[in-house]
Amino acid sequence: MPRSQSTPVRRSLLLIADIGGYTDYMRTHRLSLAHAEVNMARLLDRVVDAAPGFDLVEIEGDAAFMSRPAAGMTEADLVRATLEVAAAMHQAFHVERRYVGSNLCPCRGCTEVDRLRLKFVAHVGEVATQTIRQRQKLVGIDVIQVHRMLKNAVEIPEYVLLSDDLHRLAGATSPPLGTPIDQDLEGIGPTRAFAVDVSDLPATAALPSPDPTLRSRLRRTLAVAGAGTPYLVGLRRPRGAAR
């Protein structure tokens, strides 16, 4: 049996950036599936790059699970950091989505990338790091809770869902921060969270838009075709492919 090691429990800010529409996006034929995989990887890379204050814990299919130590941060800082990084990641995602969609490939993996959306769930709690076979994972009931929050009844297309534990750190605000959402989380029980529309968050600094010239679009088309070849010929398996 592999031996595992755990670190002392610490308080952390937990954030999951989840790309909505991923399942339908990946249900397509082989060429489109290869390009969809390449495009998803680019989108997730840009999302993670837009959160320099957070550590990437793991890429989980269509989502990036991230954390940040809460030590040294005030209660207000925890909420502010969550909303600021969500705004930055959201903006980077949409800039990259326009870039990906500007190539000339007619497959669904390229033409339907504009259907993808980005949503977030965030929580603050106690976690430990467990190492098994030289791989590190965050563990604890609060890690379970933030993942359970992904299944919710929020109707806003792109949102930040703050757990009640995190939301209350903001104190009283005017207008109130977010819309209350009651959930019954498996293994956790009844909880309340608050959904904030990403479009209501202050915009971050403007990012450059894709170059619309024909040459640049051709270059992007060749790039996605080259990167998708290993998936197309079976050397690599797209994460959405049937086993």
Side-chain angles (χ1 to χ4, degrees):
M1 296 288 293
R3 299 184 62 183
S4 64
Q5 295 180 330
S6 296
T7 63
V9 172
R10 66 183 185 278
R11 186 169 171 80
S12 294
L13 179 58
L14 305 174
L15 178 70
I16 300 177
D18 181 52
I19 297 180
Y22 171 82
T23 302
D24 289 338
Y25 180 61
M26 299 298 281
R27 287 176 180 165
T28 184
H29 60 77
R30 193 168 183 178
L31 172 63
S32 297
L33 187 59
H35 288 189
E37 175 69 15
V38 171
N39 293 336
M40 284 292 296
R42 285 191 64 101
L43 291 169
L44 285 169
D45 278 346
R46 296 305 178 272
V47 165
V48 172
D49 287 346
F54 285 72
D55 297 320
L56 175 64
V57 179
E58 193 170 0
I59 294 294
E60 302 172 337
D62 57 347
F65 176 33
M66 312 182 77
S67 73
R68 178 173 180 170
M73 301 178 69
T74 67
E75 293 183 347
D77 283 342
L78 289 170
V79 180
R80 176 187 52 76
T82 300
L83 298 179
E84 286 183 353
V85 78
M89 295 167 82
H90 177 261
Q91 185 176 28
F93 170 80
H94 281 280
V95 169
E96 189 63 25
R97 197 189 68 172
R98 290 196 298 273
Y99 178 95
V100 167
S102 69
N103 78 62
L104 300 174
C105 177
C107 82
R108 289 180 57 194
C110 292
T111 60
E112 296 187 5
V113 70
D114 62 343
R115 295 188 179 186
L116 299 175
R117 299 290 183 268
L118 190 63
K119 57 189 178 182
F120 304 87
V121 295
H123 178 50
V124 62
E126 305 294 328
V127 303
T129 301
Q130 188 174 65
T131 303
I132 301 178
R133 293 185 182 273
Q134 299 182 332
R135 292 190 61 187
Q136 290 190 340
K137 296 189 67 174
L138 289 189
V139 295
I141 190 66
D142 291 301
V143 173
I144 296 173
Q145 179 168 337
V146 74
H147 282 84
R148 294 281 194 268
M149 289 170 61
L150 287 169
K151 293 185 177 181
N152 58 65
V154 179
E155 297 181 355
I156 304 168
E158 296 183 303
Y159 59 83
V160 185
L161 187 63
L162 305 172
S163 70
D164 186 51
D165 291 322
L166 181 57
H167 181 269
R168 73 165 65 106
L169 300 182
T173 62
S174 182
L177 180 62
T179 302
I181 303 291
D182 291 319
Q183 299 177 278
D184 191 358
L185 304 180
E186 179 184 355
I188 304 293
T191 64
R192 171 164 286 190
F194 295 81
V196 179
D197 194 326
V198 174
S199 65
D200 292 337
L201 299 179
T204 56
L207 296 176
S209 296
D211 183 349
T213 65
L214 179 60
R215 176 178 295 181
S216 63
R217 295 181 69 189
L218 284 171
R219 186 167 60 247
R220 290 167 201 154
T221 306
L222 293 173
V224 74
T229 298
Y231 300 99
L232 189 60
V233 301
L235 295 177
R236 297 186 67 181
R237 181 184 292 273
R239 73 194 81 185
R243 295 187 181 275

